[in-house]
Amino acid sequence: MNRKSVSFAVLSGKGGVGKSNLALNICCGLHLRGRKVLLIDCDMGLANMDVLLGIAPEKHMQDILINNQDPADILLPFGAGGRPGLDLLPANSGMADFVDLDAGARSMLRDKLNPLAAEYDFVCMDIGAGISPTVLNFASMTTLRLVVITPEPTSLTDSYALMKVLSARYDVTDFHIIVNMAESQAEAKRTFNRLAAVCKRFLGFAPSFLCEVRADRGLTEAVRKQRPLMELAPRSPASQDCMTAAEKLEQLRSALPAGEALGAPLRNVSAVD
Ligand SMILES: Nc1ncnc2c1ncn2[C@@H]1O[C@H](COP(=O)(O)OP(=O)(O)O)[C@@H](O)[C@H]1O
Ligand SMILES: [Mg+2]
C-alpha cells in the first residue's frame, strides 16, 4: 500500500550531540501516536542503532550494496511489546569503505529503499556527523532535515558549516533545529537565536526552531540498558520533548503533498565528490 510517506534526516555538524538517541526516541514517539515508522541507520562508519536497542542484526544496510539483498529482508521490528509498525534497517559499524559511497552506490541505495519507504508514514534517517559527500547526499534526499545542536560553540560553528555546504551545493535551505541538552529553556532559545542570526546574515536564510530536548539522566540510563527512553520512561523530560518533536513532525507532514519518500539529490554531487 502506498502511503503519504515523509522522510526526515537527523543531522549534526559535530558528533556526540544526541542524533541517534533523538532519532530513536522521536521514532518511538511517532509510533506511539499510531504511525508506521522506518528508522534507517545511515551512519555508515559508526552505526550504533543496534547497540542502542540491544540487538545483534545478522544483515545490514551494507548487504544491500554488497550482496544485492532486498531491504525488506534486513528489517528488524522493535516496537514495544512486539507492536508492529516500528522497524529498523541496521547498518554495520567500522566499515571504512562505506563511509564515502560513490554516486552510483548512493543512487542504487535510494532506488532500493524507496519502494520500502513507501510503506511507511515516516522514514527517519540517522546520518553520520560532518560534511562528507555521503552525509550531504543522504541529507539532500529526505523531505525534511532536523539539525541537532547543543549550546557548545563548536556545535554551533559545525552545524553552521553543514547548513552552508548543503545550501551551496544542493540548494537545500530548509532546516529544523533541535536544541539538545541546554540548561534551561532560555539557553535553548538563545542558542537557536544565535545560530539563526548567523545563518540569516551570511547565508540569506534562517532555520526554524523545532523544539528543545532537555538534558535527562534517564536517557543515559536508557543507553546503558539498551532500550529506548520512550519505552522505559515515557513521561521523563527527554521523552516528553521527543514527543513534542513527533507532534511537530506530524504537523509538517500534514502540510506536505504526497510524493516519493527519498527524492534525488537536487544537484548532482559527482561534480564535487
Ligand atoms: N538529552 C540528553 N540528556 C542526557 N544525555 C544525553 C542527551 N542527549 C544525548 N545524551 C548523551 O550523549 C551521548 C551521545 O548521544 P548520541 O545519540 O550517540 O549522539 P550522536 O548520534 O550525535 O553521535 C548519549 O550516549 C547520551 O549519554
Ligand atoms: Mg549517532
Side-chain angles (χ1 to χ4, degrees), residues 21 180-181 213-225 227 229 232-233 236-239:
N21 279 283
N180 191 22
M181 291 188 278
V213 177
R214 285 165 281 179
D216 185 342
R217 221 179 297 148
L219 192 112
T220 328
E221 272 299 296
V223 172
R224 291 214 185 96
K225 289 188 177 145
R227 291 309 309 158
L229 179 68
L232 293 179
S236 75
S239 290

Side-chain angles (χ1 to χ4, degrees), residues 48-220:
N48 61 7
M49 206 53 87
D50 52 342
V51 181
L52 292 181
L53 287 166
I55 52 177
E58 279 172 19
K59 296 176 196 158
H60 305 89
M61 276 276 276
Q62 288 89 343
D63 287 304
I64 301 172
L65 294 167
I66 309 172
N67 303 321
N68 203 20
Q69 196 91 45
D70 184 341
D73 295 336
I74 301 173
L75 285 185
L76 288 172
F78 67 97
R83 214 158 57 79
L86 183 58
D87 297 322
L88 170 70
L89 249 182
N92 216 344
S93 191
M95 298 187 78
D97 289 353
F98 287 89
V99 174
D100 273 330
L101 302 175
D102 65 33
R106 291 189 300 250
S107 67
M108 173 184 162
L109 209 49
R110 189 191 64 231
D111 292 346
K112 292 212 162 197
L113 291 177
N114 250 330
L116 177 68
E119 306 277 321
Y120 294 84
D121 301 307
F122 285 98
V123 177
C124 171
M125 296 173 93
D126 177 27
I127 298 180
I131 53 171
S132 74
T134 301
V135 165
L136 298 175
N137 202 271
F138 278 139
S140 62
M141 277 180 202
T142 49
T143 326
L144 302 165
R145 276 147 289 279
L146 315 187
V147 180
V148 181
I149 65 171
T150 69
E152 287 184 6
T154 43
S155 165
L156 290 187
T157 50
D158 293 354
S159 54
Y160 170 78
L162 172 69
M163 290 189 280
K164 180 179 172 180
V165 176
L166 270 168
S167 66
R169 291 196 185 161
Y170 294 86
D171 299 331
V172 172
T173 55
D174 59 312
F175 299 98
H176 300 271
I177 306 291
I178 301 182
V179 185
N180 191 22
M181 291 188 278
E183 277 175 6
S184 64
Q185 208 168 25
E187 189 189 36
K189 270 285 174 201
R190 254 197 322 275
T191 302
F192 168 75
N193 287 339
R194 203 172 302 147
L195 180 63
V198 180
C199 288
K200 187 100 191 97
R201 174 150 181 225
F202 296 106
L203 305 179
F205 64 85
S208 47
F209 180 78
L210 192 84
C211 66
E212 66 163 306
V213 177
R214 285 165 281 179
D216 185 342
R217 221 179 297 148
L219 192 112
T220 328

Side-chain angles (χ1 to χ4, degrees), residues 19-20 43 46 48 126-127:
K19 281 184 307 299
S20 300
D43 192 343
L46 297 171
N48 61 7
D126 177 27
I127 298 180

